[in-house]
Amino acid sequence: MNDIDTLVQNYRSIQLRPACILDARILLEWRNDEASRLASPDPRHITAEEHFAWLVRAIRHSHCAVFIAERNGVPVGSTRRKVRELSWVVKPTARGKGVATSMVLHTINLTPEVASLCATIHRDNVASRRVAEKCGFTLTVPSASGFDIWECTT
């Protein structure tokens, strides 16, 4: 199977649905995973109270969309779009299996009203840099802080 066939197969296997309050626990687990925190501009360990308050605000905010990616009905990751900023996290046991690229592409397809998107990616986060490249993002603002800005025209 070639790269395009693999991408298409992975894309078809992922479904997105809007996140809800019932997803709070898994989202918090993924957010507080050590690798996720190290790749985040905010590497703190988030409390359940902080996370729940954030999720309630995010779900209610008209300029924010939080999605859960599922494969065969099992949550495997999440994307968040706030205005034109896109971020993602993959369940630790689902990493390296094409989940991130597929869910980011799905999210881009669900937001045609946004002319361009950006993602803030730590320069050492090779996996997310590859996802960004596969999804049409280009590095536009290298940063001394280590968190580079990638942009994509939708």
Side-chain angles (χ1 to χ4, degrees), residues 33-84:
D33 170 71
E34 183 177 359
S36 297
R37 286 188 299 109
L38 291 174
S40 173
D42 181 1
R44 302 178 296 123
H45 188 275
I46 304 296
T47 68
E49 293 77 19
E50 286 176 285
H51 179 70
F52 188 79
W54 168 83
L55 184 58
V56 168
R57 285 191 311 273
I59 289 171
R60 290 184 178 168
H61 197 285
S62 63
H63 297 294
C64 187
V66 180
F67 297 103
I68 300 294
E70 295 181 335
R71 179 176 273 160
N72 300 320
V74 177
V76 291
S78 175
T79 59
R80 178 185 62 89
R81 183 188 56 80
K82 185 174 181 184
V83 186
R84 59 181 290 268

Side-chain angles (χ1 to χ4, degrees), residues 7-138:
L7 183 63
V8 169
Q9 183 179 6
N10 283 333
Y11 184 81
R12 287 183 177 157
S13 74
I14 297 293
Q15 294 79 43
L16 286 189
R17 64 169 174 79
C20 68
I21 295 301
L22 297 176
D23 298 309
R25 185 167 40 103
I26 61 168
L27 288 170
L28 179 61
E29 287 174 15
W30 299 342
R31 164 58 178 91
N32 278 339
D33 170 71
E34 183 177 359
S36 297
R37 286 188 299 109
L38 291 174
S40 173
D42 181 1
R44 302 178 296 123
H45 188 275
I46 304 296
T47 68
E49 293 77 19
E50 286 176 285
H51 179 70
F52 188 79
W54 168 83
L55 184 58
V56 168
R57 285 191 311 273
I59 289 171
R60 290 184 178 168
H61 197 285
S62 63
H63 297 294
C64 187
V66 180
F67 297 103
I68 300 294
E70 295 181 335
R71 179 176 273 160
N72 300 320
V74 177
V76 291
S78 175
T79 59
R80 178 185 62 89
R81 183 188 56 80
K82 185 174 181 184
V83 186
R84 59 181 290 268
E85 183 182 350
L86 183 63
S87 62
W88 57 88
V89 63
V90 176
K91 178 181 181 177
T93 58
R95 292 179 184 151
K97 299 177 181 170
V99 170
T101 300
S102 297
M103 66 184 193
V104 168
L105 288 171
H106 276 294
T107 304
I108 291 169
N109 290 336
L110 287 172
T111 56
E113 74 282 359
V114 180
S116 67
L117 294 169
C118 67
T120 303
I121 302 173
H122 194 279
R123 73 172 48 107
D124 293 337
N125 188 343
V126 176
S128 284
R129 292 169 64 95
R130 283 190 192 133
V131 168
E133 289 170 350
K134 287 180 184 178
C135 294
F137 286 78
T138 55

